Structures are given as structure tokens and as C-alpha cells.
Amino acid sequence: MAQFTWSSSQPSTGAAKNSKVSKEVVRGSYAQCIFLPHVVEEPLAMHGGQSSTIMRSSQLTERTVASISESDRMPEGTNSITAKLITVGEHGFSVPYTDYAASLATYDLPNELKMLLQDDLTKYLDNFIANEFKRSLYIYTPTGAASASTATNGTAPAAAGSAMNVYHLERLRSILHTTLKAKPVDGSNYVGIFHDDSCLAIRRDPSWEIWHQNVTPENKFNGETGTIENIRILSSNHGGTAVGSDGLNGGSTLGEGVVFGDNACKFVKVMAPQVVYAKAEDYDRLLGVGWRSIMGIGLTWSQDSANAGESNVVFVSATSL
């Protein structure tokens, strides 16, 4: 029987069958970015040169005897001043587009590109800072559930043989507090940023569970590792599965991390990171949007010193990834 049907009688091209295009664009999600709040900003004025010099004063040698007799002169000494040079550079990325494409798109193309580039800038800054933290000279590698190797030359001393657990947090806290004499970030706690694989391994440790089931039982429900051994632990899922990749990397139960004290990293900026529109070219036919910044970054002490009272960043390596 002859009849008009939607599947066979309607034209298969054009707008006869497909006439509605959503004006909402659903963007893909991206990794958590958490390093930026943990740097200390050092503004560098325009026309102020390409580098900022951070002045650092080491502690005086601790006195064992300081008593003097009435006729003796006061004992004398001197302090040591060193300089940390942080050089800025230009960073940026852009997406060109045509006015023709923007005029025909059913959604706001320039705004969509702006939002994507803001996300791209956020991810870039997170890796930019994370990679600098990983350049600390002080390296800690878990080799077993209750053993570890350390090095102070910036090279991992051994392959990682164990996931993170409470024992390793105890050791890391002892290194920062007792060995390096590092000041806590907020006056009471150090900060540890670990790949999520490491955080999961910590939460599986019975010692962690015993502690938090009475103090903060909601942490397990929320997937939060919380604070233990004076280390406030933050989870990062921004990284790959191979050592040497940007960010904090993980694989299976092994994962990289950094634990640090106060004023650990300086962020020098001449031009703050920002999203900008390009000047139109070819009679307003060629357009573009991008992000750019003039900035630099450097560890305050830990890249050139592993001394007590100076170094305050420990990189937790997972070299067997």
C-alpha cells in the first residue's frame, strides 16, 4: 500500500529531518588543578628587566656556649645571604578562527573558545608549578611498607617498591620537622599533594582507618585523605602513568607526590595569566582568542639546597611506574 512515511518519504538531507541544533555546547571535563594556591606571588613591574632576585638569609650557627666574662668582648659572627634568581619568560597558546565561522555557528563560538582556553590555562599553570616542585633536591622513595630510601642530589635513590601508607607519612613529617627544620605552611601543618593512587593507598591503610573512624569518619565517605601526622593531604588526578610526564604521575597503587613547608615556591609575574582576544586582520575576517602571560617560577631554597633550615620540599618518587 502506497503511503507517506517519515523514513522513506522525507528528504534525508537538509533541514527537513534535522532542524534543531542545541545552542548549548557540552565541554569535556578536565583534571583537578590545585597547585596554584600553594605558591607565593612575587610581582615584577613592567620594564623591570627579565629576572627577579629573591634574597635569602640563612640562620646563624646555633650557640652551644654564649656565656662571657665581664672583661671579655662579645663573641662575634656573621650571617650568610644568598640570592635566588628567577627569570621570567613568555607563555601562551591561541585558537584562530574566522568571522565566517563565528557568523554561521549556532552557538557563541568566541565565548566557547574563551572558556576552553581558560581551562587550558588552568591546566598549564598546574603542571608548570607541579613540575617545579618535583625539582627539589630532597627525594624520598618508598621501597617497602616500612622502608624507604632518600637522596639529596635530586636523583631518585632507588625504585619504588611500595605504595604510600601512614608509615611513610610519619617519615616525611619527621624529615620536614626534625631533619630540615621546615616551618609548617599555616603554623601547624605541612601540605602534601599526592597522585590519587597514593591517596587511595593511604586510605586503605588500617592505621589510617583506625585514626579517622573516630576523628573524621566522613573522610572515607567523601574520598578525602584529610590531615594526619601534621600533613594536610590533597589529591591530584592531573598527571600521566609514566615518570617524567607533566604533573604528578601514578599507576596501579604507586604515585608521585610532594610534601612541603611554608614559602616553598615563588611565582614571579610581569603579566598575570589572562585570556585575550587577537586584533582582527584581513578586514575583520581573521580573528582569534588565546591566553598569555609573562611569568617565571622557582623553588625558594629546595632546588639548590638540601640543608636544614633552608630546604622545605620533599619529592616522593615512584620510579618503578
Side-chain angles (χ1 to χ4, degrees):
M1 181 180 64
Q3 58 182 332
F4 185 97
T5 65
W6 179 262
S7 60
S8 62
S9 303
Q10 279 283 82
S12 60
T13 59
K17 283 189 176 180
N18 303 293
S19 60
K20 177 69 168 66
V21 177
S22 172
K23 296 186 181 299
E24 178 187 4
V25 178
V26 181
R27 284 185 296 278
S29 60
Y30 61 92
Q32 293 174 309
C33 302
I34 57 178
F35 271 92
L36 185 58
H38 302 288
V39 296
V40 178
E41 294 190 4
E42 291 283 341
L44 180 62
M46 285 281 189
H47 314 295
Q50 68 174 7
S51 301
S52 178
T53 301
I54 310 300
M55 303 304 295
R56 308 175 302 187
S57 179
S58 299
Q59 286 288 325
L60 296 172
T61 302
E62 187 174 350
R63 306 295 103 207
T64 55
V65 177
S67 60
I68 54 176
S69 64
E70 182 181 4
S71 58
D72 289 339
R73 290 181 61 86
M74 186 77 72
E76 296 176 342
T78 186
N79 67 322
S80 174
I81 297 290
T82 58
K84 169 73 174 184
L85 189 69
I86 299 177
T87 301
V88 300
E90 192 168 15
H91 303 254
F93 185 76
S94 66
V95 179
Y97 64 94
T98 64
D99 180 66
Y100 185 71
S103 299
L104 298 184
T106 60
Y107 56 93
D108 188 339
L109 176 61
N111 185 66
E112 176 59 24
L113 293 177
K114 176 184 176 182
M115 299 299 292
L116 285 173
L117 284 160
Q118 182 63 59
D119 294 345
D120 185 69
L121 170 58
T122 301
K123 291 181 288 185
Y124 180 81
L125 285 174
D126 195 64
N127 277 338
F128 185 56
I129 298 169
N131 292 341
E132 188 65 21
F133 270 92
K134 290 165 62 174
R135 296 177 68 188
S136 173
L137 291 179
Y138 211 114
I139 311 292
Y140 180 96
T141 303
T143 56
S147 63
S149 293
T150 61
T152 57
N153 60 0
T155 301
S162 171
M164 282 294 298
N165 58 25
V166 173
Y167 166 84
H168 294 300
L169 292 175
E170 293 169 345
R171 286 284 307 276
L172 288 164
R173 188 263 181 189
S174 179
I175 289 171
L176 284 169
H177 181 72
T178 305
T179 304
L180 298 179
K181 309 292 191 296
K183 293 181 179 179
V185 171
D186 57 5
S188 58
N189 294 311
Y190 300 107
V191 172
I193 303 177
F194 290 90
H195 188 277
D196 194 61
D197 288 337
S198 292
C199 293
L200 178 59
I202 294 169
R203 294 195 301 274
R204 286 173 172 170
D205 187 336
S207 297
W208 182 92
E209 293 182 350
I210 292 171
W211 171 258
H212 281 283
Q213 69 184 3
N214 296 318
V215 180
T216 50
E218 70 277 7
N219 278 18
K220 186 68 173 177
F221 178 83
N222 295 327
E224 298 174 350
T225 313
T227 300
I228 191 167
E229 287 296 322
N230 279 138
I231 301 175
R232 181 165 60 93
I233 301 169
L234 304 175
S235 173
S236 171
N237 64 352
H238 195 189
T241 57
V243 170
S245 299
D246 288 337
L248 296 178
N249 304 294
S252 183
T253 59
L254 299 178
E256 295 177 332
V258 291
V259 183
F260 52 92
D262 190 44
N263 207 354
C265 189
K266 297 288 190 181
F267 182 59
V268 178
K269 60 181 183 180
V270 176
M271 175 189 294
Q274 57 192 283
V275 175
V276 294
Y277 287 97
K279 293 182 179 179
E281 299 179 20
D282 193 23
Y283 301 94
D284 292 344
R285 295 178 64 244
L286 302 180
L287 306 168
V289 60
W291 65 260
R292 64 182 298 237
S293 177
I294 301 176
M295 59 185 178
I297 196 167
L299 297 180
T300 308
W301 289 98
S302 301
Q303 190 182 337
D304 57 358
S305 173
N307 298 330
E310 297 176 348
S311 177
N312 61 357
V313 177
V314 179
F315 172 47
V316 180
S317 172
T319 54
S320 62
L321 284 178

